[in-house]
Amino acid sequence: MGVLMLAGTFNLMEIVKAQESFFSWYVFKQPLGFLIFSICGIAETNRAPFDLPEAETELVAGYHTEYSSMKFGMFFMAEYAHMLNVSAIVTTLFLGGWQGPLLPPVVWFLLKVSIFLFGYIWLRATLPRFRYD
């Protein structure tokens, strides 16, 4: 909500245009909002440490044990597509979207999304998974 109040619009193009220079990115103007939005995005995608409903390590592969082949693959593709979607939204709202010097806008957008996706994977690899008991 804070990003929308700063930009004064719901239009994503206008939100990105409002973040023209590096220091006008909303991650600098609202670091607490960025942190809360990022944590909620990780929780929404059921990634560690918010993956208790899946219980992957306690039940071979969690609720995925019932599926095989294409259905199994589609569940994991959907999980990673959700991560990609959250990363793109964070990039658009807080990291200046596709704006940046020298490189084409598509490269900047993909670079920022990739950095956020790296953070997802890094959290999964570093944080321990807590058991229910």
Side-chain angles (χ1 to χ4, degrees):
M1 204 54 174
V3 169
L4 301 176
M5 290 173 62
L6 281 175
T9 182
F10 283 106
N11 188 344
L12 294 176
M13 297 273 293
E14 295 298 323
I15 291 172
V16 172
K17 286 180 186 175
Q19 303 177 63
E20 287 179 22
S21 67
F22 178 73
F23 292 108
S24 68
W25 287 3
Y26 291 147
V27 71
F28 299 121
K29 292 182 179 180
Q30 290 191 338
L32 183 62
F34 173 73
L35 184 67
I36 291 171
F37 193 86
S38 299
I39 290 172
C40 289
I42 293 167
E44 177 65 29
T45 55
N46 292 329
R47 299 294 286 180
F50 304 104
D51 63 343
L52 289 177
E54 292 180 4
E56 278 183 8
T57 55
E58 295 174 16
L59 304 168
V60 183
Y63 61 89
H64 297 115
T65 54
E66 301 292 325
Y67 301 101
S68 64
S69 69
M70 187 56 87
K71 290 180 184 174
F72 181 75
M74 292 304 285
F75 270 110
F76 277 97
M77 290 301 291
E79 183 177 326
Y80 281 96
H82 197 176
M83 288 172 41
L84 183 68
N85 188 23
V86 169
S87 299
I89 291 171
V90 167
T91 299
T92 303
L93 294 180
F94 289 98
L95 301 178
W98 52 84
Q99 297 179 350
L102 300 177
L103 300 174
V106 173
V107 174
W108 276 111
F109 187 77
L110 292 176
L111 183 67
K112 292 173 187 178
V113 168
S114 299
I115 289 170
F116 204 81
L117 281 173
F118 175 77
Y120 262 112
I121 295 168
W122 188 30
L123 276 174
R124 177 80 172 202
T126 21
L127 289 178
R129 187 182 176 294
F130 299 110
R131 293 174 38 148
Y132 280 111
D133 59 354

